[in-house]
Amino acid sequence: MNRCIRRSAAALLATFFLPAAFAACDIEIAAGDNLAFDKNVIEVDAGCETITVTLTHTGTLPREAMGHNWVLSRTADYADLGTAGMSAGIEASYLPPGDERVIAATEVIGGGETAEVSFSLEGLDPEGDYTFFCSFPGHFAIMQGQFRIVDNG
Ligand code: ZN
């Protein structure tokens, strides 16, 4: 009994204190059958060697109808990328192929699917202004948020 209680307390501590104290290198984000990510801001630690973002589509619609992906770019580039990506097609994840403005991107997924992308922060400016978004046609204007690199020392 005591053990159970202690374990729950530890879980609570982890839930409430870990994200603030250390940085997240592994990010989970979800989106359903509406145009919304469940996060508006993602913070990662500047010290992370690798960032892994796992996107889960919690809806039921197929990717052709309500596909989502997770794309990272500089804030100055995301609207242009979103616009250019519309004509790139689903197999290209609605992104211009080989476009260097794309820092990281998952494939486009539908309901019940998950996708993952790992990347390094090398070359990114900790003071820089970055935006994550979904490049499915018509989604980027709403499905987007801030990506911040936080130096926790
Ligand atoms: Zn989307």
Side-chain angles (χ1 to χ4, degrees), residues 31-32 34-37 66-69 133-137 139-140 143:
N34 54 351
L35 303 189
F37 284 119
M66 184 52 76
H68 299 307
N69 63 353
F133 63 99
C134 171
S135 67
F136 192 92
H139 290 197
F140 73 86
M143 292 189 70

Side-chain angles (χ1 to χ4, degrees), residues 67-141:
H68 299 307
N69 63 353
W70 187 92
V71 183
L72 179 66
S73 75
R74 293 193 310 138
T75 297
D77 295 330
Y78 92 95
D80 283 350
L81 273 174
T83 303
M86 284 189 196
S87 52
I90 197 165
E91 295 310 327
S93 295
Y94 296 110
L95 289 168
D99 196 306
E100 288 181 358
R101 293 173 297 177
V102 177
I103 296 165
T106 71
E107 60 178 335
V108 175
I109 55 172
E113 297 177 326
T114 62
E116 193 180 281
V117 63
S118 294
F119 57 100
S120 154
L121 294 176
E122 213 179 300
L124 300 195
D125 177 3
E127 307 286 305
D129 193 356
Y130 300 98
T131 291
F132 68 86
F133 63 99
C134 171
S135 67
F136 192 92
H139 290 197
F140 73 86

